[in-house]
Amino acid sequence: IKAHLKPFFTCLAGEIGVMEIEHFKASRDKAGIAGTTLNTELKTISGILRFGVELGYLLAMPKVRRVRVSTKKPRTLSKEEIFKVLDAASPDRRPLLQLMVFTGLRKGEIAHLEWSDVDFDNRVLHVQPKSDWTPKGGDPRTIPLNNHALAALRQAESAKERRGERDTSQLVFPGRKGHLGDIRVCLNGACDRAGVPRVRIHALRHTFGSTM
């Protein structure tokens, strides 16, 4: 709401009509937003307007038409492709990609993963809110670590030890300026070098769900 709806709808909710909603849809489409994301935003608009009607602030709500979304199954990596891509990844970024594939972590979750979230003794990691970030859904969860995921974290731990005092970050995978910003770049590069068709970052999560 704060990031996308309020900046666009600079008016009262009662002044939002079909034309305003269609203009919003066009602006989001122009920005390259995925259909599923846009439909989530449209669902939010519907909820706000419906709430206004229930409270008696609005007489009626305009028709909010969702966009058509392809039901095409998202591409994932096969078991063979997983290790081709990991072997082709740069040494400093392989642990990151390996952990994503074998835990199903989202991009935001791995970018905000801190060493305090990792429990080597019990072979689990915790996805939990930070002062500047909240995981999707808001609820913390615990993820068991298999041998591949555990190995990835050990490699990241060794890399931190090699950096020594230069690395004061609490992040497991720190970027050059704080949080990571180059996951897509390193994933695309690994796919290209491995001769594997590129996949989206979120496809690593789908890969985890399909193969595990």
Side-chain angles (χ1 to χ4, degrees):
I1 293 174
K2 290 181 179 178
H4 305 300
L5 303 188
K6 289 183 71 175
F8 185 88
F9 295 105
T10 55
C11 61
L12 297 175
E15 298 171 339
I16 298 176
V18 173
M19 184 174 293
E20 286 74 22
I21 292 171
E22 291 302 315
H23 285 164
F24 173 75
K25 288 162 64 176
S27 71
R28 299 298 280 156
D29 181 65
K30 185 177 180 180
I33 301 302
T36 51
T37 300
L38 177 53
N39 280 338
T40 299
E41 295 172 353
L42 294 172
K43 182 179 179 180
T44 302
I45 295 173
S46 294
I48 293 171
L49 297 177
R50 189 177 300 110
F51 188 57
V53 172
E54 291 174 359
L55 293 181
Y57 291 123
L58 306 179
L59 294 177
M61 59 178 288
K63 181 71 174 179
V64 180
R65 296 179 177 84
R66 309 282 175 86
V67 298
R68 185 172 296 177
V69 178
S70 172
T71 56
K72 182 180 178 181
K73 183 180 178 181
R75 174 175 145 65
T76 59
L77 297 174
S78 67
K79 291 182 180 180
E80 181 182 21
E81 288 175 331
I82 288 174
F83 291 101
K84 280 186 177 180
V85 170
L86 292 179
D87 288 341
S90 59
D92 62 326
R93 282 295 176 244
R94 171 170 176 151
L96 180 152
L97 297 179
Q98 185 164 316
L99 188 64
M100 293 183 77
V101 169
F102 290 103
T103 59
L105 285 175
R106 297 181 175 90
K107 177 182 177 181
E109 293 169 346
I110 200 159
H112 291 83
L113 185 67
E114 298 181 353
W115 286 111
S116 59
D117 299 323
V118 180
D119 183 346
F120 283 114
D121 293 335
N122 293 304
R123 293 174 62 110
V124 297
L125 63 78
H126 306 287
V127 176
Q128 47 197 348
K130 304 296 187 295
S131 60
D132 61 343
W133 173 81
T134 302
K136 186 174 182 179
D139 296 326
R141 71 182 194 280
T142 298
I143 301 174
L145 300 171
N146 65 11
N147 290 337
H148 293 299
L150 195 64
L153 285 167
R154 288 299 187 190
Q155 291 168 20
E157 184 182 45
S158 296
K160 179 176 177 62
E161 291 174 353
R162 288 194 299 272
R163 291 191 293 269
E165 296 180 355
R166 293 183 293 111
D167 184 0
T168 59
S169 174
Q170 296 302 309
L171 296 171
V172 176
F173 299 106
R176 292 182 179 85
K177 297 181 180 179
H179 293 305
L180 281 172
D182 61 348
I183 301 178
R184 183 183 299 279
V185 174
C186 70
L187 177 57
N188 286 346
C191 287
D192 292 345
R193 288 189 292 274
V196 172
R198 291 184 177 185
V199 294
R200 291 172 173 245
I201 296 173
H202 198 68
L204 301 183
R205 179 172 168 80
H206 287 300
T207 298
F208 167 77
S210 298
T211 60
M212 294 301 105

